[in-house]
Amino acid sequence: MKTMAAAEFKARCLRVIKQMKTDREPLTITNRGRPVAMLSPLPPEEGKSLIGALRGSVLGYDDPFRPAAEASDWFATR
């Protein structure tokens, strides 16, 4: 496991995070040689696509050409 001083982490934070994305190795951050925090990568994302993500969520819709609201539900003033 990698370790890094807090001051060094502060200076190189974005670079360290980008590197973690590729090497997937956790990092222990130390302050005066004592561990104070641990940074670890998230588990890899599933390759889910947004296309088809809601498939099966609509159980039924009998008349897709019927208006969503009745005309009397609308109220407009000038």
Side-chain angles (χ1 to χ4, degrees), residues 1-17 19-20 23 26-39:
M1 183 181 319
K2 295 181 190 177
T3 61
M4 180 179 288
E8 183 183 358
F9 177 74
K10 181 179 177 183
R12 300 179 45 197
C13 178
L14 295 177
R15 195 174 323 148
V16 169
I17 291 171
Q19 180 64 35
M20 184 173 285
D23 68 12
L27 172 71
T28 300
I29 302 167
T30 62
N31 188 12
R32 297 184 180 175
R34 294 183 180 161
V36 293
M38 182 180 217
L39 182 66

PDB file of all heavy atoms in Angstrom, residues 1-17 19-20 23 26-39:
ATOM      1  N   MET A   1       0.843  -1.174   0.000  1.00  0.00           N
ATOM      2  CA  MET A   1       0.000   0.000   0.000  1.00  0.00           C
ATOM      3  C   MET A   1       0.889   1.237   0.000  1.00  0.00           C
ATOM      4  O   MET A   1       1.888   1.295   0.696  1.00  0.00           O
ATOM      5  CB  MET A   1      -0.907  -0.003   1.226  1.00  0.00           C
ATOM      6  CG  MET A   1      -1.844   1.167   1.235  1.00  0.00           C
ATOM      7  SD  MET A   1      -2.961   1.292   2.646  1.00  0.00           S
ATOM      8  CE  MET A   1      -3.479  -0.346   2.901  1.00  0.00           C
ATOM      9  N   LYS A   2       0.497   2.240  -0.765  1.00  0.00           N
ATOM     10  CA  LYS A   2       1.251   3.484  -0.853  1.00  0.00           C
ATOM     11  C   LYS A   2       0.974   4.355   0.371  1.00  0.00           C
ATOM     12  O   LYS A   2      -0.123   4.325   0.925  1.00  0.00           O
ATOM     13  CB  LYS A   2       0.841   4.269  -2.088  1.00  0.00           C
ATOM     14  CG  LYS A   2       1.165   3.631  -3.397  1.00  0.00           C
ATOM     15  CD  LYS A   2       0.710   4.571  -4.500  1.00  0.00           C
ATOM     16  CE  LYS A   2       0.754   3.948  -5.851  1.00  0.00           C
ATOM     17  NZ  LYS A   2       0.251   4.866  -6.876  1.00  0.00           N
ATOM     18  N   THR A   3       1.960   5.142   0.745  1.00  0.00           N
ATOM     19  CA  THR A   3       1.766   6.158   1.785  1.00  0.00           C
ATOM     20  C   THR A   3       2.299   7.478   1.260  1.00  0.00           C
ATOM     21  O   THR A   3       3.201   7.506   0.408  1.00  0.00           O
ATOM     22  CB  THR A   3       2.497   5.789   3.095  1.00  0.00           C
ATOM     23  OG1 THR A   3       3.886   5.708   2.823  1.00  0.00           O
ATOM     24  CG2 THR A   3       1.982   4.498   3.676  1.00  0.00           C
ATOM     25  N   MET A   4       1.719   8.570   1.788  1.00  0.00           N
ATOM     26  CA  MET A   4       2.124   9.903   1.356  1.00  0.00           C
ATOM     27  C   MET A   4       1.871  10.880   2.489  1.00  0.00           C
ATOM     28  O   MET A   4       0.845  10.781   3.168  1.00  0.00           O
ATOM     29  CB  MET A   4       1.321  10.301   0.108  1.00  0.00           C
ATOM     30  CG  MET A   4       1.659  11.665  -0.446  1.00  0.00           C
ATOM     31  SD  MET A   4       0.710  12.052  -1.935  1.00  0.00           S
ATOM     32  CE  MET A   4       1.480  10.972  -3.108  1.00  0.00           C
ATOM     33  N   ALA A   5       2.779  11.814   2.670  1.00  0.00           N
ATOM     34  CA  ALA A   5       2.604  12.850   3.684  1.00  0.00           C
ATOM     35  C   ALA A   5       1.458  13.768   3.283  1.00  0.00           C
ATOM     36  O   ALA A   5       1.214  14.003   2.092  1.00  0.00           O
ATOM     37  CB  ALA A   5       3.887  13.643   3.842  1.00  0.00           C
ATOM     38  N   ALA A   6       0.758  14.297   4.264  1.00  0.00           N
ATOM     39  CA  ALA A   6      -0.405  15.155   4.005  1.00  0.00           C
ATOM     40  C   ALA A   6      -0.022  16.384   3.181  1.00  0.00           C
ATOM     41  O   ALA A   6      -0.757  16.787   2.278  1.00  0.00           O
ATOM     42  CB  ALA A   6      -1.047  15.570   5.321  1.00  0.00           C
ATOM     43  N   ALA A   7       1.134  16.983   3.471  1.00  0.00           N
ATOM     44  CA  ALA A   7       1.560  18.170   2.720  1.00  0.00           C
ATOM     45  C   ALA A   7       1.804  17.826   1.249  1.00  0.00           C
ATOM     46  O   ALA A   7       1.425  18.587   0.350  1.00  0.00           O
ATOM     47  CB  ALA A   7       2.820  18.750   3.344  1.00  0.00           C
ATOM     48  N   GLU A   8       2.418  16.686   1.000  1.00  0.00           N
ATOM     49  CA  GLU A   8       2.652  16.256  -0.379  1.00  0.00           C
ATOM     50  C   GLU A   8       1.335  15.940  -1.074  1.00  0.00           C
ATOM     51  O   GLU A   8       1.136  16.277  -2.241  1.00  0.00           O
ATOM     52  CB  GLU A   8       3.567  15.033  -0.398  1.00  0.00           C
ATOM     53  CG  GLU A   8       3.926  14.571  -1.785  1.00  0.00           C
ATOM     54  CD  GLU A   8       4.782  13.317  -1.796  1.00  0.00           C
ATOM     55  OE1 GLU A   8       5.132  12.806  -0.712  1.00  0.00           O
ATOM     56  OE2 GLU A   8       5.084  12.844  -2.900  1.00  0.00           O
ATOM     57  N   PHE A   9       0.425  15.284  -0.352  1.00  0.00           N
ATOM     58  CA  PHE A   9      -0.891  14.981  -0.926  1.00  0.00           C
ATOM     59  C   PHE A   9      -1.627  16.258  -1.301  1.00  0.00           C
ATOM     60  O   PHE A   9      -2.231  16.345  -2.365  1.00  0.00           O
ATOM     61  CB  PHE A   9      -1.739  14.159   0.044  1.00  0.00           C
ATOM     62  CG  PHE A   9      -3.114  13.881  -0.476  1.00  0.00           C
ATOM     63  CD1 PHE A   9      -3.318  12.952  -1.485  1.00  0.00           C
ATOM     64  CD2 PHE A   9      -4.210  14.561   0.022  1.00  0.00           C
ATOM     65  CE1 PHE A   9      -4.586  12.701  -1.981  1.00  0.00           C
ATOM     66  CE2 PHE A   9      -5.481  14.320  -0.463  1.00  0.00           C
ATOM     67  CZ  PHE A   9      -5.670  13.390  -1.471  1.00  0.00           C
ATOM     68  N   LYS A  10      -1.544  17.264  -0.445  1.00  0.00           N
ATOM     69  CA  LYS A  10      -2.205  18.545  -0.712  1.00  0.00           C
ATOM     70  C   LYS A  10      -1.674  19.157  -2.004  1.00  0.00           C
ATOM     71  O   LYS A  10      -2.435  19.679  -2.813  1.00  0.00           O
ATOM     72  CB  LYS A  10      -1.978  19.499   0.459  1.00  0.00           C
ATOM     73  CG  LYS A  10      -2.644  20.830   0.283  1.00  0.00           C
ATOM     74  CD  LYS A  10      -2.397  21.715   1.494  1.00  0.00           C
ATOM     75  CE  LYS A  10      -3.004  23.086   1.297  1.00  0.00           C
ATOM     76  NZ  LYS A  10      -2.718  23.978   2.414  1.00  0.00           N
ATOM     77  N   ALA A  11      -0.378  19.061  -2.215  1.00  0.00           N
ATOM     78  CA  ALA A  11       0.226  19.653  -3.404  1.00  0.00           C
ATOM     79  C   ALA A  11      -0.075  18.853  -4.678  1.00  0.00           C
ATOM     80  O   ALA A  11      -0.128  19.421  -5.769  1.00  0.00           O
ATOM     81  CB  ALA A  11       1.730  19.768  -3.213  1.00  0.00           C
ATOM     82  N   ARG A  12      -0.255  17.550  -4.557  1.00  0.00           N
ATOM     83  CA  ARG A  12      -0.400  16.676  -5.722  1.00  0.00           C
ATOM     84  C   ARG A  12      -1.747  15.969  -5.788  1.00  0.00           C
ATOM     85  O   ARG A  12      -1.890  14.968  -6.482  1.00  0.00           O
ATOM     86  CB  ARG A  12       0.713  15.636  -5.696  1.00  0.00           C
ATOM     87  CG  ARG A  12       2.100  16.235  -5.750  1.00  0.00           C
ATOM     88  CD  ARG A  12       3.167  15.188  -5.688  1.00  0.00           C
ATOM     89  NE  ARG A  12       2.845  14.084  -6.587  1.00  0.00           N
ATOM     90  CZ  ARG A  12       3.412  12.892  -6.522  1.00  0.00           C
ATOM     91  NH1 ARG A  12       4.315  12.636  -5.620  1.00  0.00           N
ATOM     92  NH2 ARG A  12       3.077  11.936  -7.364  1.00  0.00           N
ATOM     93  N   CYS A  13      -2.736  16.465  -5.097  1.00  0.00           N
ATOM     94  CA  CYS A  13      -4.026  15.788  -4.935  1.00  0.00           C
ATOM     95  C   CYS A  13      -4.645  15.334  -6.259  1.00  0.00           C
ATOM     96  O   CYS A  13      -4.986  14.163  -6.421  1.00  0.00           O
ATOM     97  CB  CYS A  13      -4.984  16.710  -4.191  1.00  0.00           C
ATOM     98  SG  CYS A  13      -6.623  16.031  -3.980  1.00  0.00           S
ATOM     99  N   LEU A  14      -4.816  16.226  -7.211  1.00  0.00           N
ATOM    100  CA  LEU A  14      -5.480  15.862  -8.465  1.00  0.00           C
ATOM    101  C   LEU A  14      -4.680  14.825  -9.244  1.00  0.00           C
ATOM    102  O   LEU A  14      -5.243  13.893  -9.819  1.00  0.00           O
ATOM    103  CB  LEU A  14      -5.719  17.103  -9.318  1.00  0.00           C
ATOM    104  CG  LEU A  14      -6.691  18.122  -8.712  1.00  0.00           C
ATOM    105  CD1 LEU A  14      -6.795  19.346  -9.595  1.00  0.00           C
ATOM    106  CD2 LEU A  14      -8.053  17.493  -8.496  1.00  0.00           C
ATOM    107  N   ARG A  15      -3.371  14.948  -9.240  1.00  0.00           N
ATOM    108  CA  ARG A  15      -2.523  13.985  -9.932  1.00  0.00           C
ATOM    109  C   ARG A  15      -2.634  12.602  -9.281  1.00  0.00           C
ATOM    110  O   ARG A  15      -2.699  11.585  -9.964  1.00  0.00           O
ATOM    111  CB  ARG A  15      -1.077  14.465  -9.902  1.00  0.00           C
ATOM    112  CG  ARG A  15      -0.202  13.746 -10.883  1.00  0.00           C
ATOM    113  CD  ARG A  15       1.202  14.329 -10.962  1.00  0.00           C
ATOM    114  NE  ARG A  15       1.207  15.776 -10.847  1.00  0.00           N
ATOM    115  CZ  ARG A  15       2.181  16.487 -10.302  1.00  0.00           C
ATOM    116  NH1 ARG A  15       3.245  15.878  -9.816  1.00  0.00           N
ATOM    117  NH2 ARG A  15       2.126  17.788 -10.235  1.00  0.00           N
ATOM    118  N   VAL A  16      -2.668  12.581  -7.945  1.00  0.00           N
ATOM    119  CA  VAL A  16      -2.789  11.318  -7.217  1.00  0.00           C
ATOM    120  C   VAL A  16      -4.124  10.643  -7.523  1.00  0.00           C
ATOM    121  O   VAL A  16      -4.190   9.432  -7.740  1.00  0.00           O
ATOM    122  CB  VAL A  16      -2.630  11.556  -5.700  1.00  0.00           C
ATOM    123  CG1 VAL A  16      -3.023  10.327  -4.905  1.00  0.00           C
ATOM    124  CG2 VAL A  16      -1.210  11.978  -5.368  1.00  0.00           C
ATOM    125  N   ILE A  17      -5.195  11.418  -7.567  1.00  0.00           N
ATOM    126  CA  ILE A  17      -6.519  10.861  -7.859  1.00  0.00           C
ATOM    127  C   ILE A  17      -6.571  10.290  -9.279  1.00  0.00           C
ATOM    128  O   ILE A  17      -7.122   9.211  -9.506  1.00  0.00           O
ATOM    129  CB  ILE A  17      -7.615  11.917  -7.629  1.00  0.00           C
ATOM    130  CG1 ILE A  17      -7.724  12.214  -6.138  1.00  0.00           C
ATOM    131  CG2 ILE A  17      -8.955  11.464  -8.188  1.00  0.00           C
ATOM    132  CD1 ILE A  17      -8.619  13.377  -5.797  1.00  0.00           C
ATOM    133  N   GLN A  19      -4.035   9.128 -10.964  1.00  0.00           N
ATOM    134  CA  GLN A  19      -3.221   7.916 -10.956  1.00  0.00           C
ATOM    135  C   GLN A  19      -3.979   6.754 -10.316  1.00  0.00           C
ATOM    136  O   GLN A  19      -3.901   5.623 -10.766  1.00  0.00           O
ATOM    137  CB  GLN A  19      -1.905   8.168 -10.212  1.00  0.00           C
ATOM    138  CG  GLN A  19      -1.002   6.975 -10.143  1.00  0.00           C
ATOM    139  CD  GLN A  19      -0.518   6.533 -11.517  1.00  0.00           C
ATOM    140  OE1 GLN A  19      -0.288   7.358 -12.396  1.00  0.00           O
ATOM    141  NE2 GLN A  19      -0.384   5.235 -11.704  1.00  0.00           N
ATOM    142  N   MET A  20      -4.749   7.048  -9.275  1.00  0.00           N
ATOM    143  CA  MET A  20      -5.507   6.011  -8.589  1.00  0.00           C
ATOM    144  C   MET A  20      -6.543   5.385  -9.516  1.00  0.00           C
ATOM    145  O   MET A  20      -6.860   4.197  -9.404  1.00  0.00           O
ATOM    146  CB  MET A  20      -6.186   6.578  -7.352  1.00  0.00           C
ATOM    147  CG  MET A  20      -6.917   5.543  -6.541  1.00  0.00           C
ATOM    148  SD  MET A  20      -7.522   6.179  -5.005  1.00  0.00           S
ATOM    149  CE  MET A  20      -6.008   6.253  -4.077  1.00  0.00           C
ATOM    150  N   ASP A  23      -4.210   2.767 -11.442  1.00  0.00           N
ATOM    151  CA  ASP A  23      -3.542   1.688 -10.711  1.00  0.00           C
ATOM    152  C   ASP A  23      -4.422   1.022  -9.648  1.00  0.00           C
ATOM    153  O   ASP A  23      -4.096  -0.056  -9.172  1.00  0.00           O
ATOM    154  CB  ASP A  23      -2.217   2.147 -10.102  1.00  0.00           C
ATOM    155  CG  ASP A  23      -2.369   3.154  -8.983  1.00  0.00           C
ATOM    156  OD1 ASP A  23      -3.483   3.367  -8.486  1.00  0.00           O
ATOM    157  OD2 ASP A  23      -1.335   3.728  -8.587  1.00  0.00           O
ATOM    158  N   PRO A  26      -4.978   1.634  -3.032  1.00  0.00           N
ATOM    159  CA  PRO A  26      -5.309   2.585  -1.960  1.00  0.00           C
ATOM    160  C   PRO A  26      -4.077   3.363  -1.495  1.00  0.00           C
ATOM    161  O   PRO A  26      -2.941   2.925  -1.669  1.00  0.00           O
ATOM    162  CB  PRO A  26      -5.856   1.715  -0.842  1.00  0.00           C
ATOM    163  CG  PRO A  26      -5.592   0.323  -1.208  1.00  0.00           C
ATOM    164  CD  PRO A  26      -5.179   0.263  -2.636  1.00  0.00           C
ATOM    165  N   LEU A  27      -4.319   4.506  -0.892  1.00  0.00           N
ATOM    166  CA  LEU A  27      -3.257   5.390  -0.434  1.00  0.00           C
ATOM    167  C   LEU A  27      -3.512   5.771   1.023  1.00  0.00           C
ATOM    168  O   LEU A  27      -4.616   6.176   1.374  1.00  0.00           O
ATOM    169  CB  LEU A  27      -3.230   6.654  -1.288  1.00  0.00           C
ATOM    170  CG  LEU A  27      -2.310   7.778  -0.844  1.00  0.00           C
ATOM    171  CD1 LEU A  27      -0.859   7.394  -1.068  1.00  0.00           C
ATOM    172  CD2 LEU A  27      -2.636   9.051  -1.585  1.00  0.00           C
ATOM    173  N   THR A  28      -2.491   5.642   1.863  1.00  0.00           N
ATOM    174  CA  THR A  28      -2.577   6.083   3.250  1.00  0.00           C
ATOM    175  C   THR A  28      -1.917   7.449   3.348  1.00  0.00           C
ATOM    176  O   THR A  28      -0.769   7.623   2.915  1.00  0.00           O
ATOM    177  CB  THR A  28      -1.870   5.088   4.192  1.00  0.00           C
ATOM    178  OG1 THR A  28      -2.504   3.820   4.060  1.00  0.00           O
ATOM    179  CG2 THR A  28      -1.978   5.544   5.634  1.00  0.00           C
ATOM    180  N   ILE A  29      -2.633   8.409   3.903  1.00  0.00           N
ATOM    181  CA  ILE A  29      -2.112   9.769   4.065  1.00  0.00           C
ATOM    182  C   ILE A  29      -1.658   9.917   5.506  1.00  0.00           C
ATOM    183  O   ILE A  29      -2.407   9.592   6.434  1.00  0.00           O
ATOM    184  CB  ILE A  29      -3.187  10.803   3.694  1.00  0.00           C
ATOM    185  CG1 ILE A  29      -3.644  10.570   2.248  1.00  0.00           C
ATOM    186  CG2 ILE A  29      -2.664  12.218   3.877  1.00  0.00           C
ATOM    187  CD1 ILE A  29      -4.891  11.304   1.858  1.00  0.00           C
ATOM    188  N   THR A  30      -0.437  10.412   5.675  1.00  0.00           N
ATOM    189  CA  THR A  30       0.138  10.515   7.015  1.00  0.00           C
ATOM    190  C   THR A  30       0.377  11.968   7.400  1.00  0.00           C
ATOM    191  O   THR A  30       0.552  12.834   6.541  1.00  0.00           O
ATOM    192  CB  THR A  30       1.477   9.756   7.098  1.00  0.00           C
ATOM    193  OG1 THR A  30       2.409  10.356   6.193  1.00  0.00           O
ATOM    194  CG2 THR A  30       1.309   8.294   6.767  1.00  0.00           C
ATOM    195  N   ASN A  31       0.382  12.203   8.705  1.00  0.00           N
ATOM    196  CA  ASN A  31       0.732  13.512   9.258  1.00  0.00           C
ATOM    197  C   ASN A  31       1.794  13.257  10.321  1.00  0.00           C
ATOM    198  O   ASN A  31       1.520  12.595  11.328  1.00  0.00           O
ATOM    199  CB  ASN A  31      -0.500  14.185   9.863  1.00  0.00           C
ATOM    200  CG  ASN A  31      -0.234  15.599  10.278  1.00  0.00           C
ATOM    201  OD1 ASN A  31       0.788  16.176   9.924  1.00  0.00           O
ATOM    202  ND2 ASN A  31      -1.160  16.171  11.032  1.00  0.00           N
ATOM    203  N   ARG A  32       2.989  13.746  10.052  1.00  0.00           N
ATOM    204  CA  ARG A  32       4.141  13.507  10.924  1.00  0.00           C
ATOM    205  C   ARG A  32       4.385  12.014  11.134  1.00  0.00           C
ATOM    206  O   ARG A  32       4.667  11.558  12.235  1.00  0.00           O
ATOM    207  CB  ARG A  32       3.972  14.221  12.250  1.00  0.00           C
ATOM    208  CG  ARG A  32       3.915  15.721  12.097  1.00  0.00           C
ATOM    209  CD  ARG A  32       3.843  16.403  13.416  1.00  0.00           C
ATOM    210  NE  ARG A  32       3.785  17.846  13.182  1.00  0.00           N
ATOM    211  CZ  ARG A  32       3.627  18.726  14.123  1.00  0.00           C
ATOM    212  NH1 ARG A  32       3.497  18.345  15.378  1.00  0.00           N
ATOM    213  NH2 ARG A  32       3.586  20.003  13.835  1.00  0.00           N
ATOM    214  N   GLY A  33       4.212  11.259  10.075  1.00  0.00           N
ATOM    215  CA  GLY A  33       4.490   9.830  10.108  1.00  0.00           C
ATOM    216  C   GLY A  33       3.364   8.952  10.618  1.00  0.00           C
ATOM    217  O   GLY A  33       3.448   7.736  10.552  1.00  0.00           O
ATOM    218  N   ARG A  34       2.301   9.547  11.111  1.00  0.00           N
ATOM    219  CA  ARG A  34       1.168   8.772  11.626  1.00  0.00           C
ATOM    220  C   ARG A  34       0.034   8.759  10.598  1.00  0.00           C
ATOM    221  O   ARG A  34      -0.334   9.798  10.066  1.00  0.00           O
ATOM    222  CB  ARG A  34       0.629   9.392  12.906  1.00  0.00           C
ATOM    223  CG  ARG A  34       1.594   9.316  14.049  1.00  0.00           C
ATOM    224  CD  ARG A  34       0.956   9.883  15.281  1.00  0.00           C
ATOM    225  NE  ARG A  34       1.888   9.821  16.396  1.00  0.00           N
ATOM    226  CZ  ARG A  34       1.770  10.544  17.480  1.00  0.00           C
ATOM    227  NH1 ARG A  34       0.763  11.385  17.615  1.00  0.00           N
ATOM    228  NH2 ARG A  34       2.647  10.428  18.445  1.00  0.00           N
ATOM    229  N   PRO A  35      -0.529   7.597  10.353  1.00  0.00           N
ATOM    230  CA  PRO A  35      -1.655   7.526   9.410  1.00  0.00           C
ATOM    231  C   PRO A  35      -2.861   8.318   9.927  1.00  0.00           C
ATOM    232  O   PRO A  35      -3.236   8.191  11.085  1.00  0.00           O
ATOM    233  CB  PRO A  35      -1.998   6.043   9.352  1.00  0.00           C
ATOM    234  CG  PRO A  35      -0.863   5.330   9.981  1.00  0.00           C
ATOM    235  CD  PRO A  35      -0.156   6.290  10.856  1.00  0.00           C
ATOM    236  N   VAL A  36      -3.417   9.170   9.070  1.00  0.00           N
ATOM    237  CA  VAL A  36      -4.585   9.968   9.455  1.00  0.00           C
ATOM    238  C   VAL A  36      -5.775   9.749   8.531  1.00  0.00           C
ATOM    239  O   VAL A  36      -6.912  10.019   8.907  1.00  0.00           O
ATOM    240  CB  VAL A  36      -4.256  11.477   9.508  1.00  0.00           C
ATOM    241  CG1 VAL A  36      -3.294  11.773  10.633  1.00  0.00           C
ATOM    242  CG2 VAL A  36      -3.715  11.984   8.190  1.00  0.00           C
ATOM    243  N   ALA A  37      -5.516   9.281   7.315  1.00  0.00           N
ATOM    244  CA  ALA A  37      -6.618   9.081   6.368  1.00  0.00           C
ATOM    245  C   ALA A  37      -6.217   8.023   5.353  1.00  0.00           C
ATOM    246  O   ALA A  37      -5.032   7.749   5.151  1.00  0.00           O
ATOM    247  CB  ALA A  37      -6.950  10.380   5.653  1.00  0.00           C
ATOM    248  N   MET A  38      -7.242   7.461   4.739  1.00  0.00           N
ATOM    249  CA  MET A  38      -6.997   6.479   3.693  1.00  0.00           C
ATOM    250  C   MET A  38      -7.879   6.824   2.499  1.00  0.00           C
ATOM    251  O   MET A  38      -9.071   7.077   2.661  1.00  0.00           O
ATOM    252  CB  MET A  38      -7.320   5.076   4.191  1.00  0.00           C
ATOM    253  CG  MET A  38      -7.052   4.008   3.194  1.00  0.00           C
ATOM    254  SD  MET A  38      -7.490   2.448   3.935  1.00  0.00           S
ATOM    255  CE  MET A  38      -6.227   1.450   3.272  1.00  0.00           C
ATOM    256  N   LEU A  39      -7.273   6.862   1.350  1.00  0.00           N
ATOM    257  CA  LEU A  39      -7.988   7.142   0.108  1.00  0.00           C
ATOM    258  C   LEU A  39      -7.977   5.860  -0.703  1.00  0.00           C
ATOM    259  O   LEU A  39      -6.923   5.294  -0.962  1.00  0.00           O
ATOM    260  CB  LEU A  39      -7.292   8.269  -0.655  1.00  0.00           C
ATOM    261  CG  LEU A  39      -7.937   8.732  -1.949  1.00  0.00           C
ATOM    262  CD1 LEU A  39      -9.291   9.375  -1.666  1.00  0.00           C
ATOM    263  CD2 LEU A  39      -7.030   9.718  -2.653  1.00  0.00           C
TER     264      LEU A  39
END
